Amino acid sequence: MHYIWWIVALLLIGGEVIMPGYFMLWIGIAAAAMGIVLFAVPDMGPLMQAVLFAVFTFVSCFAYWKFVRPRLARVPSGNERLNRRGEQLIGQRFTLCDAIVNGRGKAKVGDGMWLVNGPDLPVGATVEVTGIDGTTLLVKAVDVG
């Protein structure tokens, strides 16, 4: 009868592949553990199997919730600004291609131009990015001299 638990485990883990969410995987692991236990103790009754399966399910889901999930949620060092290009520009210096008038202008960033907010400055002035507001860079004047 142990093979039935392994089939259940494969179905649950296969269901996890189709509908990812890390939940059926842990129940599938509990079913696989139940198959191993039933292989070692083949004359275990169905009620005891159900109780032991419930315990294994609880333990495996708790292990996921307490130990695995926090590790998956943590952002690896150095990737805090991944896919947030504006934040990657903080601290960098650029040249204005449009003067900042009334607090708004444009700076050349790579091969493109970004809107900037900062003090009024002429074309060609060097600015440093201090922050980001949506898609607009917040800048301050840099004394190049």
Side-chain angles (χ1 to χ4, degrees):
M1 289 294 288
H2 62 278
Y3 60 87
I4 292 176
W5 282 108
W6 289 337
I7 292 171
V8 169
L10 288 174
L11 289 173
L12 286 166
I13 293 170
E16 181 69 37
V17 171
I18 294 170
M19 299 178 303
Y22 293 116
F23 188 74
M24 288 187 286
L25 172 68
W26 300 99
I27 298 172
I29 290 171
M34 196 59 230
I36 292 169
V37 168
L38 198 58
F39 183 74
V41 185
D43 57 345
M44 186 182 295
L47 180 61
M48 186 61 183
Q49 289 180 37
V51 169
L52 199 54
F53 175 64
V55 169
F56 285 163
T57 299
F58 177 77
V59 169
S60 65
C61 288
F62 179 78
Y64 162 71
W65 191 263
K66 185 73 174 170
F67 303 109
V68 177
R69 188 170 182 247
R71 288 181 182 236
L72 294 175
R74 196 172 350 162
V75 176
S77 178
N79 290 342
E80 297 88 4
R81 295 180 177 165
L82 184 64
N83 294 330
R84 297 191 328 224
R85 184 162 182 231
E87 290 183 17
Q88 294 174 5
L89 300 175
I90 294 175
Q92 294 188 29
R93 295 180 176 186
F94 301 104
T95 305
L96 292 177
C97 55
D98 284 353
I100 299 178
V101 178
N102 296 326
R104 298 190 59 90
K106 290 184 182 176
K108 183 163 180 56
V109 178
D111 61 351
M113 293 189 304
W114 282 62
L115 291 173
V116 296
N117 279 353
D120 290 353
L121 294 168
V123 173
T126 302
V127 293
E128 182 176 324
V129 180
T130 59
I132 180 123
D133 180 22
T135 58
T136 303
L137 302 176
L138 307 176
V139 297
K140 67 176 183 179
V142 175
D143 186 19
V144 186

